[in-house]
Structures are given as structure tokens and as C-alpha cells.
Amino acid sequence: MTGKERRQQLLDVARALFAEKGFDGASIEEMAHRAEVSKPVVYEHFGGKEGIYAVVVDREMQSLLDLVVSALSAGHPRELLEQAACALLDYIDNSTDGFRILVRDSPVASATGTFSGLLNDIASQVEHIFGLQFSARGYDPELAPLYSQALVGMVALTGQWWLEVHRPGRDEVAAHLVNLAWNGLSHLEHEPRLRSRDHSSA
């Protein structure tokens, strides 16, 4: 096995182990055992558990970000919402181990970033689209960041729930998410007020 192949093998083993046991529950000893190598081989490639964890998290974050960004490349705004929701659900379905790792609190967040930081990156992509659509429809484009964070948060939290229950099917979940988001967005009030506050102050 070449050095590059060995490195990839260790990353695959570590990814599965971190998803199964979390950072604290995983050990270099078990990684080495599963990869059928000695512990020094793991240290040689990654320097330690923090090093291999950082690489695993960075790869997963980039993979998910690339999927969502590519889904937001073109089309009608509603189609963009559908593509983004499907991209996240596809990632959860096809990269379950990776998603489990991302949603855990990262013990080396300063080196790898966090899941919330990744969601901010995705929201910034959505924000650009919202800003254009808000301007075209007479809404304040400065509110685009708020709405993009709300939308991405809604999809991400639903994704975490769906990871555990895995029903209904992906397309149905995406359709319901888009139904709530799109039909809510299509009837936005220009100056929303809290009705409960209005009643209480009357």
C-alpha cells in the first residue's frame, strides 16, 4: 500500500470510528487495530487523534458545502430551495457517518470550524439569492441574512431529525420543507408585527 493509499485508509477508518463513538470515545489504538497497522503509523501520518479528526471534519465540511453551493447555481428561486434541501438530505442519506461527525460539537473547533460555521457559509450563499429576490419584489434586501439563516437552520435541524427516523422519504421531506419555506416567503408582509404584542398593549 502506498503512503497515499495508507493515509486514505486511515481516514476511512477514523471517519467510521468518530461517527460511531465520537471524538472522546475513539482512540488511536482502535484506529490502528481496525486498519491493521501499528499506532506509530497513525502518528506518522497525522500526528495524533486531533490531527486525523481535523482532516476528517474539514473534508466532510467541504463536501457538504460543495454539494449545496452547486445546487444553488441556477434556476427559479423555488427550484433553488428544492435543490438545496435535496442536496442536504442527499448528503445525510449517502454520507451518514460524515453528517454524524459534523453535528457533534468539535473539540478542535479552532482548527476545523464548527457545524454552525458551515451553516453560516451555506446561508451566505442563500443570502445572495434572497437579496436579489427581495429587491425585485420590493422588500428590504438588508433582511436577506436573517431569512437565509432561518431557512438554512430549518433545513439543517429537520435533517438531523430525519437522520434518526428516516421517514418519510427524502423527496417528501424536501417537498414539505419547501412548502413551508416557499409558501411562507411568497406571502411575506412588508412590515410584520407581533399580533400578541399588539393585543397586550391595547
Side-chain angles (χ1 to χ4, degrees):
M1 190 176 288
T2 67
K4 184 177 180 180
E5 290 170 338
R6 176 67 72 195
R7 180 180 173 86
Q8 186 58 53
Q9 180 211 21
L10 292 171
L11 285 170
D12 291 342
V13 167
R15 182 177 183 270
L17 191 58
F18 286 133
E20 178 187 334
K21 298 189 173 184
F23 179 83
D24 291 333
S27 69
I28 292 292
E29 184 174 10
E30 187 166 1
M31 285 178 207
H33 175 73
R34 290 189 182 189
E36 298 181 345
V37 298
S38 63
K39 287 196 295 183
V41 172
V42 183
Y43 286 112
E44 178 187 341
H45 281 276
F46 298 100
K49 187 165 73 167
E50 290 83 1
I52 196 167
Y53 182 83
V55 175
V56 168
V57 171
D58 282 344
R59 286 186 171 197
E60 292 302 325
M61 289 177 70
Q62 192 59 53
S63 176
L64 177 53
L65 185 59
D66 289 346
L67 273 175
V68 175
V69 170
S70 65
L72 295 173
S73 58
H76 184 276
R78 178 172 179 138
E79 292 174 350
L80 291 169
L81 290 177
E82 292 177 3
Q83 293 161 3
C86 286
L88 178 59
L89 295 174
D90 274 343
Y91 174 80
I92 293 169
D93 203 21
N94 298 323
S95 302
T96 301
D97 283 353
F99 189 72
R100 289 189 189 281
I101 292 168
L102 288 181
V103 297
R104 294 178 188 271
D105 289 333
S106 171
V108 283
S110 59
T112 63
T114 62
F115 187 57
S116 62
L118 174 63
L119 295 183
N120 282 333
D121 289 343
I122 295 172
S124 70
Q125 303 292 328
V126 178
E127 178 186 327
H128 172 67
I129 295 164
F130 272 12
L132 295 175
Q133 295 301 319
F134 276 30
S135 295
R137 288 167 169 74
Y139 295 98
D140 184 357
E142 291 188 8
L143 292 174
L146 187 157
Y147 281 93
S148 64
Q149 290 285 343
L151 176 68
V152 170
M154 177 180 74
V155 176
L157 283 174
T158 303
Q160 287 181 257
W161 166 81
W162 186 66
L163 175 63
E164 301 306 325
V165 301
H166 234 75
R167 62 179 190 273
R170 186 210 71 165
D171 286 354
E172 189 175 348
V173 173
H176 283 290
L177 283 167
V178 173
N179 182 40
L180 175 60
W182 182 256
N183 289 314
L185 288 169
S186 64
H187 294 93
L188 283 182
E189 298 172 346
H190 283 273
E191 294 185 16
R193 297 173 63 90
L194 295 176
R195 295 184 182 185
S196 59
R197 292 290 176 89
D198 289 342
H199 291 317
S200 64
S201 61

